[in-house]
Amino acid sequence: MKKLLFLLCAVWTASATDAAAQRQLIDIHTDDVSLILRAAPGEEVQLLHFGGRIEDPAPLMAYESYRHPGHNTEDVAYPTFGGRNYHEAALRATHVDGDLNTELKYLSHETQRLADENVTRTTIHTTDAVQAFDVDLVYTAYARENVITTHAEIRNREKGTVILHSFYSSALPLRAEKYLLTHLHGAWTHEAQVEHTLLTHGSKSISSIRGVRTTHAENPSFMLTLGSDRFDEVSGEVVAGTLAWSGNFRLNFELDECQVLNILAGINPEGSEYRLHRGETFTTPEMIYTHSFEGAGGASRNLHDWGRNYGIWNGHTPTPTLLNSWEGAAFRFNARILTDMIDDAAAMGLEMFVLDDGWFGNKYPRNNDKAGLGDWEVNREKLPEGIDYIASYAHDKGLKFGIWIEPEMVNPKSELAEKHPDWIVRTPKREAPLTRNQLLLDLSNPEVQDFVFGVFDRTMQLSEHIDYIKWDANRCANSIGSSYQADDEQAHFWIEYTQGLYKVMERIRAKYPDVLIQACASGGGRVEYGALKYFDEVWTSDNTEALTRARIQYGTSLFYPALVMASHVSVTPNLQTGNVTPLKFRFDIACAGRMGMELQPKHMTEEERAEARRAIEAYKEYRDIVMQGDLYRIGTPYDEDGCYAIAYVAKDKRRAVVFAYSLRYQSRTVPVFRIPGLDPATQYTIREMNIDKPRYWFEGRSFNGELLERAGINPNFSRIYDSAVFLLEAGDGR
Ligand code: GLA
């Protein structure tokens, strides 16, 4: 017996030594970021490093964690439920024979440079120790943007159906002394509020279980400041991540007894059991990571660059300035009201008119939000002239034309609901709860996908002059039930709804690559990179009030570039918050994103129209910097002194635009704004935009970037809502 034991031990030691001998490093990197893995046949893939670039990782081959195998696993690339893992697992499955464990062993890997030379993809093949069950881990590195994205492909080769309980996109272990988590939370008209939390041992998670309109409360994005409890814009080590998925998500941060932070990110496993049939592969959504030693600002700029270059449909084409009819006309309009609005928009220099809700439905006219949703024919009473008349009118005036649809939803009071009750998300025995008097269509059903595509397609046929679609989604999924899904696969709804949406968007983009599409979901309910793969921009929030918008736009800017951030000037007192702010302040906030207006111009005074004209004209002069430049946040709109600014610096550093705000009464304090990101040696001439006459001593003068960064500028703000826009251009002034 002793002999046998000795023999077994010898065999085990020999194979362990064998594996050690075959160990290799997998070096995934961008210009400044490295992700280093270590693998050997028959062993789990270990994740040794994610952070600053390591030019020569070879010495890490001998790395020892000194982790006791009886206490915890090594830091692995994709921890599974089973084996020695004591953390929440990235993957938990019940295999065909009832086995609850999965232990993924390395098989091989390959790295390929994609046609775009900036992008490298590494695929690591793993398989379970005993089951015919494989997982490929796919890492895509974007060199210049310093972004590494990752997803998993889970394949069932067993003799029946495997049940997937959780199937995250990625796992990332990090090691630091402290972890400051920064993430967004909020609600309708209160999106993207920024919260900082110093993580303690145990788990903290950010999630959504709303199916649709998933990002009002939480956003699938985070930043982690490593080794510090201070959120810093300019310095310090930051890891940021954001998930590209328009459905339920969960990001979990588990700080363990070894002081390792284990991050899981992906589809929310809650209620989402997935039956993976024999021969099928499940591909998880993409998790997007970046790392920076230049604080939160550096991390944001990396994500913005990646978004514009890879993550956003048409990430280099800004949406034109526009007038949207919603807050100005709501459901009460006719052709005359709309053409007058178009005239007024043209006179103020706006470039597009968008007809919002209320243009459709005949048996059940859409005169309020109680009826007509789903019946996408032009309302003959309101618009007997048809949409083409309005769109052509806009084009004749030199404006583009856009129109609103909400194709995933239906009012019970509609012909669609009467005709297709089976398309509605609900369970046979329960009443479907209404939100905003409407129900959700079951986009997991291919027939519904055809219908939704058809809504878009037919809307586009209403006129050859449709340039822009505002795609809305005004409720969440709840009390779910699908007449399309099998009884034992009802939980598939969550995933297949989102996949259904993407299938529709693929068809739309194949046919309409150039039409601009806005993702609106009661405002900022669909602000994430899964949607942005198909959409050009988002409706950042239904809150159009400038003071509270400052915070919403600040939070959004942590992860998403200004290019996608639609921001409209509306009336005062504001319809959402009741606040009254000066028109200039409203413009100066809106112009820091994709600027538009959303009011009835008829109600503006002549002076206000002139002011609007001036702001719009100025915006056209610098908006390319807002859309494509590098963002530097100067302070935050949460700061007690109420001084906040944003600088966008053109990539060649020849121009920059600075938006500065006073968000409270300053008394005798004159704020100073130090402007980072400029070239220290270049002379910049400062010109204040959007004003009648010069206001500050530095107007028209030139200063080099070093002085502007170190000494700054001091606009003499005193009152709450004082604001200014400065254009900085290379070249000598006075
Ligand atoms: C949602 C949108 C608004 C507007 C209305 C129309 O609330 O967020 O911008 O389009 O629907 O009903």
Side-chain angles (χ1 to χ4, degrees), residues 323-335:
L323 175 67
N324 176 297
S325 67
W326 178 243
E327 288 198 20
F331 295 105
R332 299 170 300 277
F333 55 80
N334 55 28

Side-chain angles (χ1 to χ4, degrees), residues 412-432:
K413 215 167 153 193
S414 68
E415 291 183 76
L416 180 67
E418 288 171 354
K419 200 163 151 212
H420 284 295
D422 53 319
W423 284 1
I424 293 169
V425 175
R426 64 171 150 220
T427 44
K429 295 185 195 140
R430 295 175 204 279
E431 205 176 314

Side-chain angles (χ1 to χ4, degrees), residues 2-17:
K2 258 191 183 160
K3 239 185 193 169
L4 185 67
L5 254 181
F6 173 77
L7 246 171
L8 275 177
C9 280
V11 169
W12 184 83
T13 322
S15 65
T17 329

Side-chain angles (χ1 to χ4, degrees), residues 326 356-357 366 404 436 470 472 474 520 522-523 539 542:
W326 178 243
D356 209 282
D357 199 352
R366 180 76 171 169
W404 180 96
R436 206 194 189 209
K470 174 175 174 180
D472 212 338
N474 280 307
C520 172
S522 311
W539 181 219
D542 269 353

Side-chain angles (χ1 to χ4, degrees), residues 79-81 89-94 100 102 163-168 273:
T80 51
F81 184 85
L91 180 102
R92 183 161 78 83
T94 302
L100 299 176
T102 304
I163 301 171
L164 300 180
H165 306 279
S166 51
F167 32 87
Y168 285 93
E273 224 169 61

Side-chain angles (χ1 to χ4, degrees), residues 337-464:
I337 291 175
L338 300 181
T339 52
D340 281 357
M341 285 178 108
I342 291 170
D343 287 341
D344 289 332
M348 287 189 287
L350 293 168
E351 299 156 310
M352 180 157 73
F353 176 72
V354 179
L355 172 56
D356 209 282
D357 199 352
W359 58 267
F360 49 89
N362 283 301
K363 181 173 174 192
Y364 302 104
R366 180 76 171 169
N367 291 329
N368 52 48
D369 62 17
K370 295 192 176 62
L373 197 58
D375 302 345
W376 299 101
E377 313 87 38
V378 184
N379 181 293
R380 287 185 294 272
E381 220 165 279
K382 254 188 223 179
L383 293 176
E385 306 84 349
I387 293 297
D388 185 51
Y389 173 78
I390 313 289
S392 304
Y393 190 91
H395 272 229
D396 286 347
K397 295 280 167 177
L399 265 66
K400 293 184 184 300
F401 179 78
I403 192 163
W404 180 96
I405 56 173
E406 193 183 355
E408 299 156 81
M409 311 276 170
V410 62
N411 281 131
K413 215 167 153 193
S414 68
E415 291 183 76
L416 180 67
E418 288 171 354
K419 200 163 151 212
H420 284 295
D422 53 319
W423 284 1
I424 293 169
V425 175
R426 64 171 150 220
T427 44
K429 295 185 195 140
R430 295 175 204 279
E431 205 176 314
L434 289 173
T435 304
R436 206 194 189 209
N437 311 303
Q438 65 195 56
L439 296 162
L440 183 64
L441 295 177
D442 178 8
L443 210 46
S444 76
N445 179 344
E447 272 182 36
V448 177
Q449 292 164 20
D450 286 345
F451 169 79
V452 171
F453 172 77
V455 171
F456 191 101
D457 201 28
R458 280 192 303 278
T459 305
M460 288 302 296
Q461 311 310 321
L462 291 174
S463 166
E464 58 176 315

Side-chain angles (χ1 to χ4, degrees), residues 176-424:
E177 188 202 336
K178 289 177 186 164
Y179 305 90
L180 181 72
L181 174 69
T182 300
H183 69 107
L184 308 179
H185 75 100
W188 173 70
T189 66
H190 190 58
E191 296 89 340
Q193 305 298 301
V194 176
E195 210 158 60
H196 307 287
T197 315
L198 197 59
L199 292 175
T200 55
H201 293 91
S203 280
K204 155 91 184 163
S205 67
I206 299 169
S207 65
S208 166
I209 187 77
R210 292 160 200 251
V212 184
R213 232 174 46 164
T214 53
T215 62
H216 272 140
E218 310 263 347
N219 191 283
S221 308
F222 71 89
M223 282 196 188
L224 278 165
T225 305
L226 302 184
S228 165
D229 48 16
R230 221 183 115 242
F231 181 78
D232 195 313
E233 270 300 324
V234 291
S235 63
E237 188 173 8
V238 170
V239 169
T242 179
L243 181 74
W245 181 244
S246 309
N248 294 345
F249 61 82
R250 185 155 182 266
L251 311 181
N252 195 59
F253 303 86
E254 183 181 350
L255 183 54
D256 69 17
E257 79 264 38
C258 305
Q259 195 57 25
V260 172
L261 183 66
N262 299 277
I263 306 171
L264 295 179
I267 292 175
N268 193 341
E270 176 80 3
S272 208
E273 224 169 61
Y274 198 87
R275 294 168 61 80
L276 190 65
H277 300 292
R278 181 181 189 179
E280 282 180 354
T281 299
F282 183 85
T283 301
T284 72
E286 203 73 14
M287 182 64 193
I288 301 145
Y289 288 111
T290 190
H291 169 276
S292 171
F293 286 116
E294 287 175 26
S300 294
R301 286 187 290 281
N302 290 349
L303 290 178
H304 295 176
D305 282 342
W306 180 84
R308 281 187 294 246
N309 294 338
Y310 299 99
I312 299 164
W313 187 265
N314 271 333
H316 292 277
T317 314
T319 301
T321 58
L322 60 87
L323 175 67
N324 176 297
S325 67
W326 178 243
E327 288 198 20
F331 295 105
R332 299 170 300 277
F333 55 80
N334 55 28
R336 183 62 201 274
I337 291 175
L338 300 181
T339 52
D340 281 357
M341 285 178 108
I342 291 170
D343 287 341
D344 289 332
M348 287 189 287
L350 293 168
E351 299 156 310
M352 180 157 73
F353 176 72
V354 179
L355 172 56
D356 209 282
D357 199 352
W359 58 267
F360 49 89
N362 283 301
K363 181 173 174 192
Y364 302 104
R366 180 76 171 169
N367 291 329
N368 52 48
D369 62 17
K370 295 192 176 62
L373 197 58
D375 302 345
W376 299 101
E377 313 87 38
V378 184
N379 181 293
R380 287 185 294 272
E381 220 165 279
K382 254 188 223 179
L383 293 176
E385 306 84 349
I387 293 297
D388 185 51
Y389 173 78
I390 313 289
S392 304
Y393 190 91
H395 272 229
D396 286 347
K397 295 280 167 177
L399 265 66
K400 293 184 184 300
F401 179 78
I403 192 163
W404 180 96
I405 56 173
E406 193 183 355
E408 299 156 81
M409 311 276 170
V410 62
N411 281 131
K413 215 167 153 193
S414 68
E415 291 183 76
L416 180 67
E418 288 171 354
K419 200 163 151 212
H420 284 295
D422 53 319
W423 284 1
I424 293 169

